[in-house]
Amino acid sequence: MNRPAVLASLVVTLLLGAAPALGQPTTAREIASSAPFRSAVAAMDADYERIVDEIVLLTEIPAPPFKEAKRAKAYMAMLRDAGLSDVEMDAEGNVMGLRRGTGPAGGSLVVIAAHLDTVFPEETDVTVRRDGSRLMAPGIGDDTRGLATLLGYARALDKAGIRTRRDILFVGNVGEEGQGDLRGMRYFFAKGKYRERVETFISMDGSGATNVVNGGVGSKRYRVTFNGPGGHSFGAFGLVNPLGALGQTVVDLYRIQTPAKPKTTYSASVIGGGTSVNSIPNSVFLEVDMRSEDPGELAKLESAFLGIVSASVAAENAARQTTAGSVSADIKLIGDRPAGMTPPATSIVVQAQEAIRAAGLTPNLTYSSTDSNIPMSLGIPAITIGSGGAGGRAHALDEWIDVDKDKSLPGMAVGLNILLAAANG
Ligand SMILES: [Zn+2]
C-alpha cells in the first residue's frame, strides 16, 4: 500500500470507527437541531397528505380483536411500499419490516410498533367522518394514526438519506387491546425471530406528544362462575343460591383498601347468568379487573380476591341448605399482563424527555398498560409514546383525532427524534 492509500484507509477507518460522533448526532437535543433531522421533518411535511390518507384507509379496514388479518395484510403492503426490507407476517399475525442501519447485520436493533387491533366488534361502522381538520371513527387514534405515522417515518428517513447505526424494525402488531391480552408482543418476545436482538422497544400508542409511559401497569382479570343446584324460587326456597356467593364476593371485594401509590385498583365489571325471575339460578358469573403499578401489590390484591371468593362460597353453603347440592366457584384467569418498569435513568427514557423538551413541550412520565409491558417485564428498555397530534374518546364510537398539520407535525417529529436517538445512541 502506498502512502496516500494508507492515509485514505486511515481516514476511512476513523470515519467508520467514530461514525456516531462524526457522522450523526446521537442525543435527542443534538438530533433536534441537526440538518438531516430537519430535512426528515420537511419530508414528512411534504408527505403529510399521504399520511392522512393512510390513516383513513387503515381505519376503514375493521380490525377487531383476533381478526386483524385483513388490516395486517394491507399494512404489510404499505411497509413494503415504504421501502422496508424483510417484510413479513409472523405466526401470531404481527407484520414487520426492517430498515437496515450501518451496524453489522444481525446486530442489536430498535423496535417501533403500533397495534393493528381495535376494541370494536366486527359489525362496527368504521367509516371516517370529517369535520374540518377533525377526523372521527372508531380506532382512528388508538392506534391507527400510530400505524400511519410509522410509515411516514420510514419514508422521511429515506428521503433525508439518514442511515441509523442500529437497524430499525417497524411493527404493526396484533392483540394489544383487552381480550388480545398483548398476544402479539407476547409472541414477538417469546418466539419471534428478532427477540434476541431488541436493544430498545418503542410502542406508539394513542394520541399526544408529551406522555412517556415508562411504567407498565400489571393486571389480572378473572371470570368466576358460581354454580349451584338451582330450583324453584318458591318451592325450593331455602336452598343455597350461587348469586348469594357472587353478591358477597362483590361486597367484600369493595371493602379492600388499596394504596394510592403505587396505584392499585379493582373493578367488578361484568355479571351475568340466571334463567328466570322465578328460579334460584344454577349458574351466575362475575368478571373482575385488578391492576397495579407494582407486581407485589397486584399479587396481594389477587390473593385477597381469591380468598374472598372461597369465603363467600363457604358462607353461602353455611347459610342455606345444601341438600340438593352446594355452591362452588369455577375460577378462570382471563387476563394476565405483567407489570414492569423502565427506570427513569435509562437512556431511552432520558432521550424521550429531551426530545419533548427540545420541541418546547413538557414531558410527563407515566404508567399505563400497553404493549411495552411485555419487554418491561423482561428487563428490556421500553417506552410507549403518542403519535403526536391531538385526539380523544379512545375506545368510544365517537373517537376522534385532529389532523391539522401545524398542530400534528411537531408532535410527530418528537417521535421521530426519539426513534433516531434510540437507533443512534
Ligand atoms: Zn392502544
mmCIF file of all heavy atoms in Angstrom, residues 115 142-143 176-177 205-206, ligand 1:
data_model
loop_
_atom_site.group_PDB
_atom_site.id
_atom_site.type_symbol
_atom_site.label_atom_id
_atom_site.label_comp_id
_atom_site.label_asym_id
_atom_site.label_seq_id
_atom_site.Cartn_x
_atom_site.Cartn_y
_atom_site.Cartn_z
ATOM 1 N N HIS A 115 -50.183 -0.809 17.274
ATOM 2 C CA HIS A 115 -51.024 -2.006 17.208
ATOM 3 C C HIS A 115 -52.119 -1.911 16.158
ATOM 4 O O HIS A 115 -52.712 -0.862 15.938
ATOM 5 C CB HIS A 115 -51.564 -2.404 18.585
ATOM 6 C CG HIS A 115 -52.494 -1.436 19.248
ATOM 7 N ND1 HIS A 115 -53.843 -1.407 18.977
ATOM 8 C CD2 HIS A 115 -52.280 -0.502 20.197
ATOM 9 C CE1 HIS A 115 -54.427 -0.484 19.737
ATOM 10 N NE2 HIS A 115 -53.500 0.094 20.481
ATOM 11 N N ASP A 142 -56.467 5.331 18.320
ATOM 12 C CA ASP A 142 -55.954 4.198 19.090
ATOM 13 C C ASP A 142 -56.173 2.925 18.283
ATOM 14 O O ASP A 142 -57.161 2.264 18.464
ATOM 15 C CB ASP A 142 -56.667 4.136 20.441
ATOM 16 C CG ASP A 142 -56.177 2.998 21.322
ATOM 17 O OD1 ASP A 142 -55.134 2.416 21.008
ATOM 18 O OD2 ASP A 142 -56.868 2.683 22.315
ATOM 19 N N ASP A 143 -55.318 2.613 17.313
ATOM 20 C CA ASP A 143 -53.998 3.176 17.248
ATOM 21 C C ASP A 143 -53.611 3.425 15.789
ATOM 22 O O ASP A 143 -52.458 3.358 15.407
ATOM 23 C CB ASP A 143 -53.027 2.193 17.920
ATOM 24 C CG ASP A 143 -51.619 2.757 18.094
ATOM 25 O OD1 ASP A 143 -51.476 3.979 18.119
ATOM 26 O OD2 ASP A 143 -50.693 1.955 18.184
ATOM 27 N N GLU A 176 -53.208 -6.040 21.098
ATOM 28 C CA GLU A 176 -52.873 -5.171 22.236
ATOM 29 C C GLU A 176 -54.064 -5.005 23.170
ATOM 30 O O GLU A 176 -53.917 -5.012 24.384
ATOM 31 C CB GLU A 176 -52.410 -3.798 21.744
ATOM 32 C CG GLU A 176 -51.732 -2.937 22.824
ATOM 33 C CD GLU A 176 -52.686 -2.135 23.709
ATOM 34 O OE1 GLU A 176 -53.836 -1.888 23.313
ATOM 35 O OE2 GLU A 176 -52.280 -1.755 24.811
ATOM 36 N N GLU A 177 -55.239 -4.826 22.589
ATOM 37 C CA GLU A 177 -56.414 -4.461 23.378
ATOM 38 C C GLU A 177 -56.928 -5.628 24.233
ATOM 39 O O GLU A 177 -56.617 -6.783 23.975
ATOM 40 C CB GLU A 177 -57.530 -3.959 22.449
ATOM 41 C CG GLU A 177 -57.156 -2.706 21.643
ATOM 42 C CD GLU A 177 -57.056 -1.442 22.495
ATOM 43 O OE1 GLU A 177 -57.245 -1.512 23.733
ATOM 44 O OE2 GLU A 177 -56.781 -0.379 21.926
ATOM 45 N N ASP A 205 -48.600 4.485 20.751
ATOM 46 C CA ASP A 205 -49.977 4.080 21.051
ATOM 47 C C ASP A 205 -50.776 5.285 21.531
ATOM 48 O O ASP A 205 -50.436 5.900 22.539
ATOM 49 C CB ASP A 205 -49.948 2.986 22.128
ATOM 50 C CG ASP A 205 -51.261 2.230 22.210
ATOM 51 O OD1 ASP A 205 -52.255 2.678 21.609
ATOM 52 O OD2 ASP A 205 -51.295 1.179 22.883
ATOM 53 N N GLY A 206 -51.827 5.619 20.806
ATOM 54 C CA GLY A 206 -52.682 6.728 21.218
ATOM 55 C C GLY A 206 -52.149 8.075 20.753
ATOM 56 O O GLY A 206 -51.180 8.155 20.006
HETATM 57 ZN ZN ZN B 1 -53.900 1.433 22.012
#
